[in-house]
Structure formats: C-alpha cells, structure tokens
Amino acid sequence: GNGNNATQLTAGNQPKIVNAGVLLNKITFDGVNDYMDIASLTALSNPFTYIQVVNLDGRNAFHPSTDGINVSGDRVATGNVTGLLTDSFFAGTNGTSASPIVTATALRSYFFRGDASSQYFRNGTSVSQGNVGSNTPSSGIRIAADHDLSGSNYAAIEMQEFIIYDSDQTANRPAIEANINNQYDIY
C-alpha cells in the first residue's frame, strides 16, 4: 500500500523463499548475485530505527545485510575485513561496532539518534553505542549486497524480519523485541 516493497525484477538475482517446494520462512540470499532493493526509502528522518532478524554471512570480509542502493557507506550489519566486527555506517560514519561478530541468527536492533547515543542491541542486550550524526540511508535500501554490486560483496544471509521505523523506537524496544523473540525463540 505505501510502495515500500523490496523488489528484484531479475529472476537470476532473486533470493529464495521456497526450496524444493518447501516454504523456508525466511529469505535466503546466495552470496553470489542475490539482492533486493527498497528504492522508495530515501527520506527517512534521523532518528530512525532498524530491527532485523538475520543470520549474517560468516565469511571474513565485507558483506552488508543492508546498504544504500547507489551511495557508499549506508551500511548495517557487516563484518570488517577480518570478520571481527558487526558495524553500522551511514555516509561513511561508523556509528556502532560490536565485537566479536555473531554470524548466527540474531535479533539486531539499531537505534540511530543523530548523536553519540545511537545504540546497537543484539538479542536484547546493548553491545555498542556510537554516532552516525544526522546521516540517513539517502538512496534507498539494498538488502544483501554492497551499493555498487561489486563481485565479492554479496552477502549469503538469511533474513526473517526487517522492520524500519522513521522514528526512535528505543522506548518501545523491550516490547518489540519480546514480540519478535516470542515468534522466533532466538534467545
């Protein structure tokens, strides 16, 4: 209804939601060429919130769960070059970094507030705080690939939820996370 659907019109680049006729209950990206775009999300205000239930790519490289469609640096939930950190960047500003990276399925909540109080929660626990300033994802959101679709920067992730709020949902975090955890029994 609001036009904020994630799409991928190229059949060979579509992630799987069914395998051998069985519904997977998640979106599975192959890490080779699968990705989806939400082109309409270009005007998020700051503060804003991302909540993801995602199994991250465990390879020791840069593989974003989300990035900008054509703007470098609008990244969330990536491993750094040594695979040790879960990072969030907007306009190239590192907002939050958590070590060690957890590549298993986790509930990841990001609260971007325009100041040094931005936070990253993993499975209901605060794991880092940082500052992305007033930056936002300005070119839309790409799921499971880098903004420039470079050959090695596709993510082999499994995403079960991706919720975006155009506001700071920190006060509602416990209720949102409890509801999601009740659905998936993550922690």
Side-chain angles (χ1 to χ4, degrees):
N2 60 14
N4 290 330
N5 300 316
T7 60
Q8 175 51 268
L9 300 178
T10 304
N13 295 354
Q14 293 174 352
K16 287 185 179 182
I17 59 170
V18 173
N19 189 22
V22 177
L23 181 64
L24 298 174
N25 292 320
K26 57 190 163 196
I27 302 171
T28 302
F29 298 85
D30 66 6
V32 176
N33 60 6
D34 291 357
Y35 70 96
M36 296 177 74
D37 288 341
I38 309 173
S40 61
L41 286 177
T42 59
L44 287 180
S45 59
N46 193 322
F48 63 101
T49 303
Y50 279 5
I51 298 175
Q52 301 177 346
V53 176
V54 64
N55 185 331
L56 291 182
D57 186 347
R59 292 177 287 175
N60 292 331
F62 168 79
H63 300 111
S65 69
T66 64
D67 198 356
I69 290 177
N70 54 32
V71 173
S72 173
D74 289 351
R75 306 184 176 107
V76 172
T78 67
N80 69 1
V81 292
T82 59
L84 300 178
L85 298 177
T86 302
D87 290 332
S88 61
F89 288 80
F90 283 94
T93 302
N94 189 349
T96 61
S97 293
S99 179
I101 189 171
V102 172
T103 59
T105 298
L107 170 55
R108 304 170 197 281
S109 304
Y110 298 87
F111 302 92
F112 301 106
R113 297 194 188 104
D115 59 28
S117 69
S118 296
Q119 286 186 283
Y120 168 39
F121 288 78
R122 186 172 52 223
N123 293 339
T125 301
S126 178
V127 292
S128 67
Q129 186 167 320
N131 187 357
V132 294
S134 60
N135 298 314
T136 64
S138 58
S139 66
I141 297 171
R142 174 158 289 150
I143 301 171
D146 187 28
H147 67 281
D148 63 2
L149 300 176
S150 63
S152 62
N153 291 338
Y154 290 86
I157 62 172
E158 297 174 341
M159 187 172 284
Q160 293 172 279
E161 294 274 348
F162 184 23
I163 302 167
I164 304 164
Y165 291 98
D166 194 16
S167 60
D168 181 2
Q169 292 294 313
T170 305
N172 298 323
R173 181 190 62 79
I176 294 168
E177 290 180 344
N179 186 38
I180 292 170
N181 189 45
N182 286 339
Q183 176 69 29
Y184 297 103
D185 195 24
I186 298 169
Y187 59 93

